[in-house]
């Protein structure tokens, strides 16, 4: 199917461009863009495996997955620093700040050790196989897949509330629908979710807080943390927990989305 081939080639070009960058030119945004491109390819793989049995998903996606995982380790540490720097008392946490910087440096080094020429070569070897499978997928099967995930997503967004341990999975499913639905550029009336919504931004922000809280709890519990810094960390943990709780309430207040088709919502987060 031509539309699928075109879409994948765009993702391939964008990913190759990012991977060609020299280590010193990598920024916070580079790691973010890298993960977004792989998320889009992963979503496409879901469509492919629905439409064809000729692609070994686990084996083919392996190099993509490795890059995504190690880039994620860097990304989490960078996001934590960005978010915590907004807290008024963060400047007092010199030891924790140094720890995050040290861990980031270590993770970046690990990233470039794993994402080397050999892995990138293995990645590029997968491209022709993927394109070959895409050429054989019919429009009928592809649209059957879209209808299926649309129905599944409709059920997800019609729920009145989500528990904390369900939110991240909910976000991932919405992302898969968002990425794959855009491939076909359907008319607005066929869109399941309106074009303007802050829901995915809120879901992403909630997940960032969730990851930070895990890190903070881990560091607070270590014996190496001195009493004064532990006190400051606990104070920041309370503030982040409060923000997380408010976001959780706001997310559930937006549900079910099916009732919001006539309101202005924005769905533009990657």
């Amino acid at each position: 199917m031509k539309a699928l081939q075109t879409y994948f080639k765009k993702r391939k070009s964008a990913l190759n461009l990012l991977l060609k960058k020299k280590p010193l030119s990598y920024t916070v945004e580079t790691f973010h863009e890298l993960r977004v491109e792989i998320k889009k390819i992963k979503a496409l793989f879901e469509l492919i495996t629905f439409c064809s049995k000729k692609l070994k998903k686990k084996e083919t996606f392996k190099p993509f997955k490795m890059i995504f995982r190690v880039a994620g380790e860097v990304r989490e540490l960078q996001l934590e620093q960005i978010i915590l720097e907004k807290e008024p008392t963060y400047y007092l946490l010199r030891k924790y700040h140094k720890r995050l910087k040290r861990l980031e440096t270590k993770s970046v080094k690990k990233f470039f050790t794993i994402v080397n020429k050999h892995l990138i070569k293995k990645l590029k070897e997968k491209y022709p196989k993927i394109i070959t499978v895409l050429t054989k997928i019919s429009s009928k099967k592809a649209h059957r897949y879209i209808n299926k995930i649309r129905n599944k997503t409709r059920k997800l967004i019609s729920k009145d509330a989500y528990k904390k341990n369900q939110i991240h999975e909910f976000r991932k499913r919405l992302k898969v629908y968002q990425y794959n639905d855009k491939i076909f550029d359907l008319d607005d009336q066929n869109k399941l979710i309106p074009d303007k919504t802050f829901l995915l931004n809120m879901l992403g922000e909630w997940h960032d807080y969730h990851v930070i809280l895990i890190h903070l709890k881990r560091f607070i519990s270590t014996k190496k943390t001195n009493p004064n810094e532990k006190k400051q960390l606990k104070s920041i943990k309370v503030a982040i927990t409060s923000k997380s709780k408010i976001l959780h309430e706001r997310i559930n207040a937006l549900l079910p989305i099916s009732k919001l088709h006539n309101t202005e919502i924005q769905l533009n987060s990657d």
Side-chain angles (χ1 to χ4, degrees):
M1 186 178 174
K2 190 68 177 177
L4 295 178
Q5 292 176 63
T6 302
Y7 180 78
F8 177 70
K9 285 175 182 178
K10 284 181 181 178
R11 305 281 67 80
K12 175 173 71 83
S13 297
L15 185 58
N16 286 344
L17 198 62
L18 290 166
L19 292 171
K20 280 180 182 177
K21 285 191 172 188
K22 293 181 180 179
L24 290 175
S25 67
Y26 265 64
T27 64
V28 173
E29 192 59 29
T30 308
F31 285 102
H32 171 59
E33 289 173 1
L34 196 60
R35 280 172 58 82
V36 168
E37 288 302 330
I38 296 176
K39 282 179 185 178
K40 290 178 179 179
I41 292 170
K42 186 180 180 182
L44 180 62
F45 268 50
E46 183 179 292
L47 183 153
I48 294 170
T49 52
F50 176 87
C51 299
S52 174
K53 293 180 180 179
K54 293 182 179 180
L55 189 73
K56 295 179 181 178
K57 182 181 176 182
K58 189 175 180 181
E59 182 187 322
T60 309
F61 193 70
K62 190 176 180 180
F64 295 95
K65 187 178 180 179
M66 288 178 70
I67 296 169
F68 185 79
R69 179 177 55 79
V70 289
E73 291 176 16
V74 179
R75 176 74 177 154
E76 282 185 1
L77 290 164
Q78 291 174 337
L79 275 173
E80 183 168 357
Q81 291 173 78
I82 290 167
I83 292 171
L84 290 183
E85 282 169 4
K86 295 176 184 177
E87 295 298 319
T89 58
Y90 183 63
Y91 74 98
L92 297 170
L93 300 171
R94 294 177 183 176
K95 189 175 179 180
Y96 192 68
H97 176 73
K98 286 180 180 178
R99 177 180 182 269
L100 289 178
K101 280 291 181 187
R102 188 169 62 251
L103 286 172
E104 183 191 352
T105 301
K106 187 178 178 181
S107 293
V108 170
K109 186 178 179 180
K110 179 183 176 182
F111 173 85
F112 287 110
T113 300
I114 293 173
V115 185
N116 52 29
K117 290 180 179 180
H118 177 68
L119 181 61
I120 294 170
K121 183 183 177 183
K122 284 178 70 177
L123 184 79
K124 290 180 178 180
E125 286 172 355
K126 305 295 180 182
Y127 294 153
K129 297 176 185 177
I130 298 167
I131 292 170
T132 300
V133 174
L134 289 172
T135 59
K136 296 177 182 179
I137 291 176
S138 68
S139 176
K140 186 178 179 180
K141 279 191 175 181
H143 283 91
R144 192 186 300 159
Y145 163 81
I146 290 297
N147 288 331
K148 182 181 177 181
I149 63 163
R150 182 181 290 115
N151 290 332
K152 282 188 175 181
T153 308
R154 185 176 285 111
K155 288 178 181 178
L156 285 174
I157 63 178
S158 65
K159 286 188 69 171
D160 290 324
Y162 273 90
K163 293 178 182 178
K164 291 177 183 178
N165 62 350
Q166 298 173 318
I167 287 180
H168 185 49
E169 189 59 34
F170 173 48
R171 177 177 179 252
K172 287 197 292 185
R173 293 314 305 164
L174 285 183
K175 281 290 182 185
V176 169
Y177 172 77
Q178 179 197 26
Y179 292 146
N180 285 342
D181 190 54
K182 279 186 177 179
I183 297 172
F184 302 96
D185 195 25
L186 301 175
D187 294 335
D188 287 343
Q189 63 264 28
N190 292 324
K191 296 291 182 183
L192 178 60
I193 305 172
D195 286 335
K196 296 181 178 180
T197 183
F198 292 109
L199 179 61
L200 279 169
N201 286 334
M202 289 165 63
L203 289 166
E205 192 176 353
W206 182 89
H207 181 255
D208 293 340
Y209 287 150
H210 176 69
V211 172
I212 290 170
L213 287 170
I214 292 171
H215 290 177
L216 287 173
K217 287 175 186 176
R218 194 179 298 149
F219 195 69
I220 288 169
S221 64
T222 61
K223 293 179 181 179
K224 293 179 181 180
T225 310
N226 66 61
N228 184 51
E229 188 166 35
K230 188 173 287 191
K231 184 180 177 181
Q232 296 296 336
L233 283 168
K234 285 181 177 178
S235 176
I236 287 179
K237 179 174 164 286
V238 169
I240 298 294
T241 301
S242 177
K243 290 178 181 180
S244 175
K245 185 179 178 181
I246 291 168
L247 263 178
H248 182 222
E249 290 170 353
R250 286 177 65 196
I251 288 164
N252 281 333
L254 278 177
L255 298 170
I257 299 234
S258 55
K259 294 179 181 177
L260 301 175
H261 276 261
N262 294 322
T263 60
E264 281 200 356
I265 312 180
Q266 178 147 15
L267 185 71
N268 58 11
S269 165
D270 282 326

